[in-house]
Structure formats: C-alpha cells, structure tokens
Amino acid sequence: MPHSRSLWLSLLLCAATLPLAQAQQVSVQVILPQAFQMPRTITEWQANPDIVQFVVTNLSTEPLDGLRLSFNVTGAARGRLVTSKDRHPAQPFFSLGPAEARAFFWDDLIDEEALEFASNLETEVARDGIPEDDYLLCTSVFVSNNMTLTAGESCTPLRVIEPDPPTLLAPFVEVPVDPSALFFQWTPVEQQGVAYQLVIKPVFVGQDAIRAFEGNPTLLETEVMAPYYQYLPSDPPFDTFPSQNGFAWQVQSVIDGEPVGRDGGLSPIAYFKLREDAADLFDPLAAFEAFEDFDTFNTFLSDSLLTDTTFTPNGGATPPPNFNYNTFRMGEVTVPQPQPWQDATPRRAQAVKLSGSASASTDVYQQAGLTRARRPGEAGLLSGQLNVQLAERITLPLSFYVSSESAGYQHPFNQIGMSPTFGWAKLHGGYFSTRFSELTLSDARLLGGGFELQPGSARIANATGIAQRKLLPDEFGQRGLFQRLLSATQLGLGKEGGFLFWFTGMFARDIVSSLPLDVALSDQVISPKENVVASVRMAMPFIKNRFSLEGELAGSVFTENTLTDELKIGGETELPGFIKSIFTPRLASRADFAATAALNIRPVNQFGIRFQGRLVGPGYQSLGAQQIEMDVLDLTVSPQFQFKPLTLNATIGVRENNVANTRLVTTRRGIVNANMLLRPVPWFNLSGQFSNYGLRNSETNDTLRVENVSRQYGALPSFLFTTGKARHVLRAGYTFQEFSDENVLTGRLGDTRTHNVIGGHTLSLPSGLTFTSSATYVRGLTSSINSIILTLSESVGYAFFDRKLRVNGTFSWNRTRTIFPDYGLQGRLRLSYRLPNRSQIQASFQLRNFDYGLPRAGSDGFTEFTSRLSYSISF
C-alpha cells in the first residue's frame, strides 16, 4: 500500500470529524469510535453495530433512490480481507432526499450475507476472527445501475489488535511472602478503559492452583483500574481458611465487565505461600517437649540443627524417638526429614498399616457495617488424607475435602478419589489427577478411572473420565458448560529419572447433548470444543545425575466450536466414519505444534546448571494441559550453587511471542530471579532475593509502545541467641518492589514503588511462656496515591496442665493512610488441648474492627467476629 502506518494513524485522529470524500452528488463520512483497537471476533461486531458509523449526505438538489454502499477492507500485511458483494440481493438499499444527511450504523448498510472474504482468510476469520493488522476501510456509494456517485473510493485507517492477557509479576512463587505487606502486581493491558478483576482463593492440602480455582471459595475478589493491588489490613484475613496450603490468584482484563484480550483476558493461575511468623517457624514448646530438659534441647541445637542442615545424626545429638522433623524449622529453611534410625532387631512386615490425618471444624461468623457479609454465618469443613498400606507393598492413598459451602460450585468440594499402588501397577478411581506429560495431560482433574502399569522397563497407562461437568447458565450471568469427556493413553519404554521414550495420545470432546437443545444452541453457553493431541517424550541420562537431555514434541488439532460447519475434503462434505469418530475438521478448527527441551549438567555436587526451552505455536491447544500459554518461545538458564555456608539459585530467561508472525506487534520479556541463603555461623542466617522482569514490544509509535520493568529485592536476617535459659529470635527485613513504565508519553502515570520494613523479637522461656513482638511498615508510592500501612502486634503464649493445654493471645493495631487514615484493631484468642493418640481440639475467637477515614460502599467501617471449633488427629 502507498500509505505508511504513521500516515494511517495521523489520518485516524481526524477521521471522526473530516469528510472522507467530496463527490458530485454524495459524500460519505466514516466515524470510528474505536479505530485504534477494533474488535476481532464476529460476535463483537454483531453486538456493537455502532463501532462503525456512516454519515451519507446528498449534495444535489434531487432525491436519490436505490443507493447502496460499496466497501472493502485491506490490510498492510494481509492484503485484501473482505469486499462487499455489490450485486448481492441481501445488500441493503437506502434513499436520500435533496440535501439530506443521514447517519447509519454499519449493520444498516452492510449485510453479512453480502460479504466476500479472501479465500485464504475465510477459515481463519470464521475460527479466530479478523487477523491483527493495520487496515484501510475504503467506501463509495453507487446506484442500482452500478454508477458511482462519490468521487472514487475514500479510505479511513483502522487497527485490529487483540492484546495479551496480564502476566502475573508478584508475589513470586519461589519466595514465601509476608502477609502483612502483600503487594500484587501484573503487566498492564494496553487497551483504553481496561480494568482488572483480581481473584484470590485458598489452596488446600492435596490440591494445586488449578484445582483451587475450579471450586474453592473466594478469599478476595475486587476490581481495580491499575495493574497492581496492595492487600489491606481490612481485607479478609488469610487465616479465614486455616487448613490452606497456600493461595492461588488470577487476574482478568475487562472493559465494562466484559473480558478483553486473548484467552478471555485471563492470566495463567499463579500460586504463592505465606511466610510464617518466626514464632511459628520455630515452635519452642513443640520442640522442647521432645526433650527431657532445656539443656538437652540447647545441646541438640548447637550440635546438630545449626551445623548440619542435612541432619545426618552425629554423636551426642540423637533426638528423642517422637521428635517431629516435619514441623521443626529454623529461620526460613524447612529441615528435611532424615532417614529413620534403624533398629538392629529385624522387624516383621505389618499386614495392614494406616497413616494420615484428618480435621473437622465449624465456624460461626457475624458482622456489622458491611453491605455484604464476606462469609456465610455458619460453615463446616472436613478434610483429611488416608494411606492404607498392605504388607508394605500395596498403597491405597485417599484424600478428601468436604465443605458446607460447596453447593453451587462447578466442581464441588466433595471430590473423593483413590489411587492405589500394587507394586508396579497404579490404579485410579473417582476424582483423580495424573501427569502423562507437560504438553498433553498435566493439569486436568478427571472423574473416572485409569491405570499406570510399569512392569520392568515397559509402560502402559490410560486415564479416562469427565474433565468438565455440565453447568446450566443462571440468572446472574454465569454461562453454561457442556460435559467434557477426556481420554489419554501412554505407551513406551523407560521410567521417570532414567531413560524413557513415551508416546502419548489424548482425545477430548464436549458432549452437546449433555445440555437441553435450546440451551446448547444459545449464546448463554461456552461453545463446545474438540481436541486431539499426540506427543513423543524422550529422556536420555548419558551420565547418571551428571548429564541428561530430555524433551517432548507434540501436535494438536483443536476445534473452538463443534457447531460450526465441517470442512469440505476433496469436494465431499462427509469424512470416513473412523476419522470422524476421532476428530471432525470444521471451520473453527486449527492445528499447530509445541516442543520442550532441557539439558541438565552437574559436573560436581556443589554446582549444576539447567538449560531449558519451550516453543508453543499460536494454534496449539491441549484441554488436558490448559495452563500452557500459547504463542510463546521461552529460553531459560538456571544455575545452582551449594557451597557451605552459601546456597544460591538463579534463573535467567527470555520470552517472545508472535512465533508464527501472526500478530501485529511482537512482545519480548526478560526475567532474572535469584535466591540466596547464607548461614556463616550457627546463630546467624541471612536470606535474600532479587528479581527483574522486563517487557517490551516492537511498536514504534510512542502512544502504543510498551516498555516496562518490574524489580524486587530484599534481605531478611535473623539471629538466634540465649540468655540463661531464655531463648531469643531476633529478625529484621527490608523489601523493595518497583514497577517502571519506560513509555515516553505515559510512563510516569504507571510507576509504582513499595517499601516494606519488618522487625520482630521472640522470647521463649523454659516454663513455656512466649512473647512475640513485631512491627511492619509499608509505604506504596504511585503517580496519584501515597499509601502507608503501619502495623504493631504482640502475642503471648503459655502452656498449662503438663503442656497439654496451650493458650495464645494476639493483639494488633494498624493504621492505613491513602487520602484519609483508616484505623483497625484486631484481637485473637486461641486455645488448644492435646488429647491422647496424637489428636487435639482447638477453639479460637477473633474480633476485627475497622474505622474508615473515607466511607467505602456506603460504610464508615465494620466489625467482624469469628469463632471456630476444630478437631484434628494424626495417625
């Protein structure tokens, strides 16, 4: 095209006000309110007829009848995309009186049946929508005898682009975060008027982040206009779900409540864990109870724990038999459980052995001042894990989670499944998850059955079941879902950790008949999908534990909507039955491939490095691995150093999209992440973390160019010392997090800076009395808001009745200032009584009161009271 992109954008600024053509009889003015980012999908055009408006004026003194609009759309990279069929009977007619001007929406003058797409793009438009490109919309008006009434074609520039969904930046999964200073951050979506829906859910034992989002209750859901959110003291407390094993979070970009961007504007789901308080990281009461006296406890600390994190037993430091290594932790390093000390007397294998844990709790919740309660007034919870071992050869694992809040969720909590192991055979039944490979079946949870057989070096496995339960749409806008069946089979040689060559095939299909016909054909349900994936996975350990190579190559065919027409093959509309039973190509089908590769090198025990790459095509899709991001090329290098007293792990990588050159703009991302642990002496430990995440796109226009950097670094030292028989843990820390927008025009508006300073002291006495004091200061700086959060807290704990009854009380005060200060008071009392057989009963009471300096949602503040009674047992 003779027009440059910069010329198009310049013309675009005046497209809404200047006539595009002056003619002898007719002029046409085109108004494009969203010219910079026109919708891609046909459904969006159908729902918004006002996105293209025409003002047609009769410049003559005579009436004009039988007028029609002729137009075409041409892309800079794609060429001619669509042209009007000027003689098609469906093309609308209109009339104009003398000197009359009339305004039309696009669907007044354009009929979908009278459109002709370029042959090489017709399938792509039907499947994915209009391709990204810079386009010219050229129009003219003619009468029924095809005589043009305008002075040739008049052209207006427009752009079709679909932005990437947000990329989650912080908190980072590698480092536990301080719950008192939690700052969420993600990359912005370059779309005018975009907002972000932030959702946080708990992750329970035995779950991953995917399972958590399928059905767990929500801790927080809020909409913000900026790509960050500071978690406030007045937000729901994280101990709302005491049995959580971390939290999952996701961000969706929306405009007026409707998703915008690729993948429905949804980011991948991320996971983070909370950094526990020092009083919880090292429970002196629990540790001391395992020893006869405090001097023996201190001897064990100095002789073993603080000098050997591998915990190999050494002279004079043998712990008591009931010492629990899983809960005995120092600083931020979890001490791994050692191999048990072997008894010289041979023992007989037990016929049946049970192990596991279970807990049950009931909550009562009351509030005043909130327009909507955060939680139900009453809630019950039952969870646990059970392992049945037969003759020490057959293992039957069982996990369950049942909640009174499960009603109404797509994936209810009462999902029970078993995966027993019989030597080289493993079976699945009920609800279960298994991983065949990264690119095929990795994160889907099935209701069904399966098996994994590994006799010697051979492997055969199958998993079949319901991967998505049917869901009817509701009156609140929840869209319906079809029931989805998924089956995967794996054949090959070799085992994990050694040589392997595995072939995996996976098939998934949504069952249209699972919903009533009138519902299935409506726009109230998400379109039914079909997917076939095949992959080959290989691993070759050339030198055991020293040098290995692994990788996977996969291809997929995917149909976004199985209700679209079948593709014609060789002039026939029908395919052979055996092919259609596996996959039916349709207008909404696409095919692509993905590949992963990794090289591991560890020349010595103290040093190792991993090179990793991933390439996923823009059309690759696996319904068994839905967390895979499409259209990415990832390259990372991860060195590891383990030289006493220093441990250092790092990851350096780059990511680029537009791997098939199908996008208008290419985005490149770079990441550096490093974690350090230094313990030079037994009484001192220092942990540090640094991360740098940069993003840049290839756009040359300053308005549309994206270039930003997110950084975070911090250090947390801790000291252990004793005075007499009193034990002290002193800790401090500082974390700095920033986001810098390097765009020349908009940069200062998006910059954020967050400072987090913490300090604390824990005093533990042999009597069982403990005192923990802590202070947290958080300061967040943005272009418009300077927020400060100050929190002070004190906890006191004591044990009664031969340490069977423990009482712990916590009181905290905080002040949050943005424009006006908010004040909060929180008190908590917790009692736990240890029963025989490793069980305990616990009662807790929590009161929270907040006064807002500036009313929010019609509230000046609120008061919440929660009581909880629970019972737990380990066996």
Side-chain angles (χ1 to χ4, degrees):
M1 295 297 297
H3 300 278
S4 67
R5 180 180 299 178
S6 59
L7 175 60
W8 293 353
L9 296 177
S10 300
L11 291 173
L12 181 61
L13 299 177
C14 58
T17 57
L18 296 181
L20 294 176
Q22 295 296 329
Q24 296 175 350
Q25 291 181 283
V26 175
S27 70
V28 181
Q29 179 184 356
V30 181
I31 302 175
L32 303 174
Q34 306 177 35
F36 275 114
Q37 292 192 351
M38 301 292 283
R40 288 193 68 215
T41 65
I42 300 300
T43 55
E44 288 180 280
W45 283 75
Q46 293 170 336
N48 298 283
D50 59 340
I51 58 176
V52 179
Q53 302 172 30
F54 302 97
V55 178
V56 186
T57 304
N58 181 359
L59 301 177
S60 70
T61 58
E62 300 293 332
L64 298 175
D65 296 318
L67 304 182
R68 288 190 290 182
L69 182 74
S70 175
F71 78 97
N72 62 79
V73 178
T74 304
R78 299 278 184 157
R80 183 67 61 89
L81 177 69
V82 62
T83 303
S84 59
K85 299 178 181 178
D86 293 342
R87 296 184 180 181
H88 196 280
Q91 194 171 21
F93 289 83
F94 63 98
S95 302
L96 292 174
E100 180 185 6
R102 292 179 61 187
F104 301 91
F105 293 138
W106 73 264
D107 60 348
D108 294 325
L109 301 183
I110 299 173
D111 191 281
E112 295 179 44
E113 295 184 14
L115 300 181
E116 181 178 2
F117 289 94
S119 57
N120 60 326
L121 292 176
E122 182 176 3
T123 301
E124 182 178 353
V125 171
R127 182 189 66 222
D128 297 325
I130 302 172
E132 287 191 352
D133 206 344
D134 282 316
Y135 292 98
L136 286 179
L137 169 61
C138 299
T139 61
S140 62
V141 175
F142 67 98
V143 292
S144 55
N145 60 3
N146 291 335
M147 183 179 69
T148 301
L149 300 183
T150 54
E153 288 188 332
S154 300
C155 299
T156 304
L158 58 91
R159 163 170 284 195
V160 175
I161 186 171
E162 188 172 23
D164 288 328
T167 297
L168 306 183
L169 302 178
F172 296 90
V173 69
E174 293 86 355
V175 181
V177 295
D178 184 356
S180 63
L182 193 51
F183 189 80
F184 294 89
Q185 195 160 37
W186 53 91
T187 57
V189 173
E190 301 304 317
Q191 183 98 355
Q192 187 176 5
V194 70
Y196 305 94
Q197 288 276 1
L198 168 65
V199 179
I200 307 172
K201 295 191 175 188
V203 179
F204 300 110
V205 175
Q207 289 184 321
D208 56 22
I210 305 294
R211 305 288 82 75
F213 257 81
E214 285 181 343
N216 287 5
T218 299
L219 175 71
L220 177 73
E221 182 174 1
T222 184
E223 182 174 307
V224 297
M225 300 304 297
Y228 52 81
Y229 182 76
Q230 173 72 62
Y231 206 88
L232 300 173
S234 56
D235 287 329
F238 288 100
D239 61 4
T240 298
F241 305 100
S243 56
Q244 54 82 18
N245 194 40
F247 291 89
W249 66 295
Q250 186 177 48
V251 174
Q252 183 178 34
S253 52
V254 297
I255 294 180
D256 297 330
E258 294 296 324
V260 58
R262 298 179 187 273
D263 303 325
L266 286 169
S267 73
I269 300 171
Y271 171 80
F272 67 90
K273 289 182 69 71
L274 300 178
R275 188 178 70 227
E276 302 167 84
D277 187 79
D280 296 325
L281 287 168
F282 188 95
D283 188 344
L285 294 177
F288 179 71
E289 288 173 357
F291 295 82
E292 296 179 356
D293 54 56
F294 201 77
D295 291 333
T296 306
F297 172 59
N298 275 338
T299 301
F300 179 63
L301 286 178
S302 59
D303 289 352
S304 180
L305 174 63
L306 298 179
T307 58
D308 189 1
T309 56
T310 62
F311 243 128
T312 302
N314 49 59
T318 302
N322 62 336
F323 191 78
N324 188 345
Y325 290 93
N326 289 327
T327 59
F328 191 87
R329 293 177 284 189
M330 175 63 64
E332 288 190 322
V333 181
T334 300
V335 179
Q337 181 161 351
Q339 296 296 323
W341 285 268
Q342 299 295 327
D343 195 320
T345 304
R347 60 182 181 85
R348 298 180 61 183
Q350 293 179 273
V352 179
K353 183 179 179 181
L354 298 178
S355 62
S357 62
S359 64
S361 66
T362 179
D363 292 3
V364 175
Y365 170 83
Q366 296 176 324
Q367 66 87 19
L370 292 173
T371 55
R372 185 178 64 177
R374 303 183 196 268
R375 303 182 58 196
E378 297 180 357
L381 172 67
L382 175 65
S383 63
Q385 292 180 301
L386 176 65
N387 291 287
V388 182
Q389 194 172 43
L390 306 178
E392 298 189 355
R393 290 183 176 274
I394 300 174
T395 303
L396 304 173
L398 170 67
S399 62
F400 58 92
Y401 193 94
V402 182
S403 168
S404 60
E405 299 181 54
S406 63
Y409 288 98
Q410 173 197 346
H411 289 267
F413 285 131
N414 53 334
Q415 298 184 357
I416 300 177
M418 299 183 68
S419 297
T421 302
F422 304 88
W424 46 262
K426 185 176 184 179
L427 304 181
H428 300 289
Y431 284 96
F432 70 96
S433 298
T434 187
R435 182 183 177 91
F436 280 10
S437 72
E438 180 181 353
L439 299 177
T440 57
L441 177 60
S442 62
D443 58 31
R445 184 169 178 80
L446 304 179
L447 171 59
F451 60 86
E452 298 178 53
L453 308 179
Q454 191 85 50
S457 61
R459 176 175 173 82
I460 177 172
N462 177 268
T464 301
I466 299 173
Q468 176 176 277
R469 300 176 64 193
K470 67 178 181 180
L471 179 68
L472 289 171
D474 60 29
E475 57 184 319
F476 303 106
Q478 172 67 51
R479 299 182 69 187
L481 296 171
F482 295 96
Q483 179 177 288
R484 176 175 299 159
L485 299 181
L486 184 147
S487 181
T489 300
Q490 191 169 70
L491 303 172
L493 298 174
K495 298 181 179 180
E496 290 281 6
F499 167 85
L500 64 84
F501 183 92
W502 292 352
F503 172 82
T504 304
M506 192 206 75
F507 165 79
R509 174 183 291 168
D510 289 353
I511 308 303
V512 177
S513 60
S514 62
L515 294 179
L517 183 61
D518 59 331
V519 176
L521 298 179
S522 72
D523 58 1
Q524 295 179 305
V525 297
I526 296 176
S527 60
K529 298 170 175 51
E530 188 175 52
N531 185 208
V532 174
V533 182
S535 85
V536 174
R537 181 185 173 201
M538 295 177 291
M540 294 173 284
F542 295 103
I543 304 176
K544 187 176 182 180
N545 299 327
R546 296 299 184 192
F547 185 86
S548 65
L549 178 66
E550 57 187 284
E552 182 179 8
L553 177 64
S556 79
V557 286
F558 175 74
T559 298
E560 180 68 33
N561 187 350
T562 59
L563 299 179
T564 56
D565 294 336
E566 295 182 23
L567 284 177
K568 296 182 180 181
I569 308 297
E572 298 291 334
T573 58
E574 292 294 330
L575 295 172
F578 75 92
I579 295 180
K580 293 182 63 175
S581 65
I582 301 174
F583 185 84
T584 303
R586 299 180 182 274
L587 288 176
S589 300
R590 62 172 180 257
D592 216 323
F593 77 98
T596 65
L599 175 65
N600 300 285
I601 303 175
R602 182 172 289 276
V604 294
N605 292 335
Q606 293 78 15
F607 171 74
I609 188 168
R610 178 179 175 88
F611 301 90
Q612 194 167 7
R614 174 192 290 184
L615 174 65
V616 182
Y620 182 85
Q621 181 77 53
S622 172
L623 295 177
Q626 299 187 64
Q627 277 288 91
I628 293 180
E629 294 185 67
M630 297 179 291
D631 196 12
V632 295
L633 171 63
D634 286 335
L635 299 172
T636 58
V637 179
S638 303
Q640 298 178 339
F641 301 87
Q642 296 177 347
F643 299 98
K644 283 188 176 182
L646 175 66
T647 299
L648 178 64
N649 299 318
T651 298
I652 304 169
V654 294
R655 164 175 286 193
E656 181 174 308
N657 66 6
N658 200 16
V659 296
N661 198 29
T662 56
R663 301 192 183 190
L664 191 61
V665 176
T666 300
T667 301
R668 297 178 180 86
R669 310 168 189 175
I671 185 171
V672 177
N673 188 63
N675 301 301
M676 177 201 72
L677 176 65
L678 176 65
R679 193 189 296 274
V681 290
W683 48 267
F684 173 73
N685 137 96
L686 173 66
S687 62
Q689 189 265 339
F690 169 79
S691 64
N692 186 93
Y693 188 102
L695 183 146
R696 174 183 297 177
N697 69 11
S698 58
E699 179 61 62
T700 57
N701 183 276
D702 286 339
T703 304
L704 303 175
R705 185 169 64 229
V706 176
E707 185 175 356
N708 51 60
V709 178
S710 177
R711 299 185 185 92
Q712 178 174 307
Y713 45 86
L716 180 66
S718 61
F719 303 84
L720 168 68
F721 60 94
T722 59
T723 56
K725 292 190 175 183
R727 178 181 177 275
H728 303 262
V729 176
L730 186 65
R731 65 199 185 280
Y734 171 74
T735 302
F736 176 70
Q737 185 173 331
E738 69 171 340
F739 178 84
S740 299
D741 189 344
E742 307 297 334
N743 188 293
V744 176
L745 300 181
T746 63
R748 295 183 179 180
L749 299 177
D751 289 355
T752 66
R753 305 287 186 276
T754 304
H755 303 265
N756 176 26
V757 181
I758 63 172
H761 171 257
T762 299
L763 169 64
S764 304
L765 302 175
S767 63
L769 186 64
T770 62
F771 298 89
T772 300
S773 306
S774 64
T776 302
Y777 173 83
V778 181
R779 183 178 184 185
L781 303 172
T782 70
S783 60
S784 57
I785 296 178
N786 180 2
S787 62
I788 295 176
I789 302 174
L790 176 63
T791 303
L792 305 175
S793 68
E794 181 68 32
S795 297
V796 180
Y798 192 70
F800 301 89
F801 306 127
D802 196 24
R803 304 184 185 276
K804 292 183 178 180
L805 175 64
R806 296 181 182 177
V807 180
N808 180 273
T810 302
F811 177 80
S812 65
W813 170 90
N814 60 72
R815 179 181 185 271
T816 304
R817 184 187 69 81
T818 51
I819 301 175
F820 296 95
D822 302 336
Y823 293 93
L825 295 174
Q826 302 180 69
R828 180 172 182 173
L829 177 65
R830 181 171 56 189
L831 301 91
S832 61
Y833 187 78
R834 189 180 62 201
L835 301 170
N837 301 323
R838 300 174 66 184
S839 62
Q840 73 171 0
I841 187 171
Q842 187 176 97
S844 63
F845 308 89
Q846 181 172 269
L847 180 68
R848 308 172 74 230
N849 175 262
F850 285 87
D851 294 319
Y852 295 146
L854 183 67
R856 303 175 191 170
S859 174
D860 294 327
F862 66 90
T863 301
E864 289 181 311
F865 176 77
T866 306
S867 62
R868 173 176 294 135
L869 180 64
S870 63
Y871 172 81
S872 62
I873 183 172
S874 299
F875 49 89

